[in-house]
Amino acid sequence: LWLKLGGTTPGVVAGRAIGRSCRRTLTYGTAVLPQLCTARAQRPRMLPTMTSSRYMWGLRPAGRRLLSNGAEKDVEEAKQFLLRLRHPPEVADGVISALKSSGALLPTLYAMAGAWEVGGDAGLAALATAVELDMATKAGTKPVSFVVKVAHARHVFECHGLEGMTLRDVADHGEGAGAATLGEYLECACSGVMACSTCHVIVDAAWSQLVGAPDQSEQDMLDLAYGSGDTSRLGCQLKLTVEMQGLVVSIPAQAHNIMDHIPFPDR
């Protein structure tokens, strides 16, 4: 027996056999696997199945168990991948839970990750943030408001976020006009992996002690930022707390985008 399985839609698997055949159907959960066997040939001992875009061979009597084991391996691989992308374990579990219903966990996860090796993303970051915000809301996380000043544009506006969110999180996934406006000023060229200084903000002196100083890794990037000062922070590293209610930060007039080595004015 030669059985070829294919198909791009989750839960749909097509089968083909060579020679005179009869058709039987095996059902595992929501997936239907056509099994083709010749009338004269002895029933094969092994049944090929497709799991997460790769072949997994298992003994026919233990088909359900092996499919389950394959799914468990996919979950573990997905979690290790998300942890590698620096997502907290509880957020990784939430993302996996949201994607498992697709029926193709790993292919969907990798597709959403995009060109993650070079800081790219195709929707995974938004999903992870949505999971994190949902967890924060259920845990009773408190809202935090802060003020943003853009002196060179003579613009002052208010943003609203939740404790535990960074300024970049608010810019990318916050609600309200303030969050949308903040997103226009904070480029975050490195997608928040602290490899650039395009989300550079200056904390008002009255708030600098409460906000705290950057660690050495953050300071290394701030040294390359335009107009960096003693109260400078990266928006992707500055996390909101309930004590920061009313925080005031300023946006520099320019940003040094070291991702392409071209200084450009933020106009």
Side-chain angles (χ1 to χ4, degrees):
L1 172 67
W2 177 263
L3 181 61
K4 181 178 181 182
L5 302 180
T8 58
T9 304
V12 178
V13 182
R16 179 185 300 174
I18 298 177
R20 191 172 66 230
S21 63
C22 63
R23 189 181 189 89
R24 299 197 321 169
T25 299
L26 297 178
T27 301
Y28 293 97
T30 59
V32 178
L33 306 180
Q35 177 188 346
L36 302 173
C37 59
T38 61
R40 296 181 180 178
Q42 182 180 359
R43 179 179 297 178
R45 181 169 176 267
M46 308 298 287
L47 172 67
T49 62
M50 181 75 79
T51 301
S52 301
S53 298
R54 60 178 183 270
Y55 286 103
M56 179 185 71
W57 293 85
L59 291 174
R60 188 185 309 274
R64 292 180 182 270
R65 185 177 68 254
L66 290 170
L67 286 174
S68 176
N69 291 342
E72 291 175 1
K73 290 181 179 179
D74 286 351
V75 169
E76 181 60 28
E77 182 177 335
K79 185 165 185 177
Q80 292 304 316
F81 177 70
L82 288 166
L83 293 177
R84 184 179 179 185
L85 296 183
R86 301 173 63 185
H87 292 293
E90 61 275 11
V91 174
D93 291 337
V95 170
I96 292 171
S97 178
L99 295 181
K100 283 176 68 175
S101 60
S102 70
L105 173 60
L106 288 179
T108 305
L109 177 63
Y110 292 139
M112 294 184 69
W116 61 271
E117 303 93 334
V118 292
D121 179 72
L124 181 58
L127 175 59
T129 301
V131 169
E132 194 168 5
L133 291 177
D134 182 62
M135 292 170 56
T137 301
K138 291 179 179 178
T141 304
K142 297 181 179 180
V144 180
S145 299
F146 59 96
V147 176
V148 180
K149 295 181 178 181
V150 189
H152 62 275
R154 297 181 181 179
H155 192 188
V156 178
F157 57 95
E158 188 177 38
C159 293
H160 306 281
L162 296 172
E163 59 176 318
M165 294 179 70
T166 65
L167 298 193
R168 175 183 179 264
D169 291 337
V170 176
D172 286 351
H173 311 292
E175 298 180 353
T181 303
L182 182 62
E184 296 176 2
Y185 288 110
L186 293 185
E187 181 185 0
C188 296
C190 70
S191 299
V193 297
M194 205 162 54
C196 77
S197 60
T198 57
C199 62
H200 172 216
V201 299
I202 300 174
V203 179
D204 188 273
W207 290 91
S208 60
Q209 186 173 358
L210 177 62
V211 171
D215 60 21
Q216 187 57 53
S217 297
E218 183 179 350
Q219 186 60 54
D220 289 342
M221 299 311 305
L222 287 170
D223 290 341
L224 304 174
Y226 174 86
S228 179
D230 294 337
T231 62
S232 291
R233 292 295 307 269
L234 293 180
C236 65
Q237 301 302 308
L238 200 168
K239 284 191 175 184
L240 299 173
T241 66
V242 290
E243 293 78 18
M244 294 181 189
Q245 195 71 247
L247 170 71
V248 179
V249 298
S250 299
I251 304 292
Q254 298 185 33
H256 287 167
N257 188 350
I258 65 172
M259 302 299 288
D260 56 12
H261 306 288
I262 301 176
F264 59 94
D266 186 5
R267 303 287 185 192

